Amino acid sequence: MTRVAGVAPTAARRRRVGECHRDNAEALAAIVRRHGWPAADVVGTAASTAALMILLHAPDLDFRLRCRDLIARAAADGRCPAVHLAYIADHCAVDLGEPQFYGTRIDPATLRPYPVRRPQTLDERRRDVGLGTLQEQMRALRLSG
């Protein structure tokens, strides 16, 4: 099937994507219950990153918060990339209506970052986890859009 860029999602497509996110999150939750967070030192960086991508789209905020805490411990122990914590921490903060820490979440309505905690030190925090500056991120978004 050929994918067409710019096609507006139909209600059926949105529903299928939502079902996929829910099903993936349920599978990840089963893994986390049985084995803990799939940290890079155990499953490899690619698989740990894939788990993070599933988590970022998981509909259950409580599950994301629990995993955020597991990822924080794994990152502190060097068992997964610190950037994983940056992404999940920002997702949870925005969903809780709080300022984000690393500026990874962009508001699709304004194409600007959601509010950021202590913006004067943002780029330092970003650098600490392996991200470029916010200006670099915004430039890359403009070029890709």
Side-chain angles (χ1 to χ4, degrees):
M1 180 166 125
T2 303
R3 292 179 57 184
V4 180
V7 173
T10 64
R13 284 184 183 144
R14 281 192 298 274
R15 186 180 65 255
R16 283 197 312 264
V17 168
E19 290 168 356
C20 181
H21 288 168
R22 187 187 64 249
D23 291 348
N24 288 342
E26 288 173 5
L28 179 59
I31 291 167
V32 170
R33 275 192 305 275
R34 184 168 180 152
H35 303 286
W37 180 254
D41 69 324
V42 175
V43 300
T45 301
S48 186
T49 300
L52 175 68
M53 294 299 110
I54 291 169
L55 181 62
L56 294 175
H57 292 93
D60 181 353
L61 177 59
D62 288 335
F63 174 59
R64 284 185 278 135
L65 290 167
R66 285 191 308 275
C67 288
R68 177 200 61 193
D69 296 342
L70 295 173
I71 293 168
R73 285 194 291 275
D77 293 343
R79 297 182 312 107
C80 78
V83 72
H84 288 189
L85 177 59
Y87 281 105
I88 191 58
D90 279 358
H91 267 69
C92 291
V94 169
D95 290 345
L96 290 167
E98 299 171 355
Q100 56 183 328
F101 297 93
Y102 300 95
T104 63
R105 295 277 314 264
I106 305 298
D107 184 337
T110 65
L111 299 179
R112 300 292 311 146
Y114 284 100
V116 174
R117 186 177 313 230
R118 296 190 323 271
Q120 65 278 13
T121 58
L122 174 63
D123 285 336
E124 182 179 329
R125 289 191 304 278
R126 290 175 63 90
R127 189 173 36 257
D128 288 346
V129 297
L131 291 169
T133 67
L134 181 59
Q135 182 179 1
E136 291 167 345
Q137 177 181 322
M138 298 307 294
R139 186 179 315 115
L141 285 173
R142 284 191 297 275
L143 292 175
S144 69

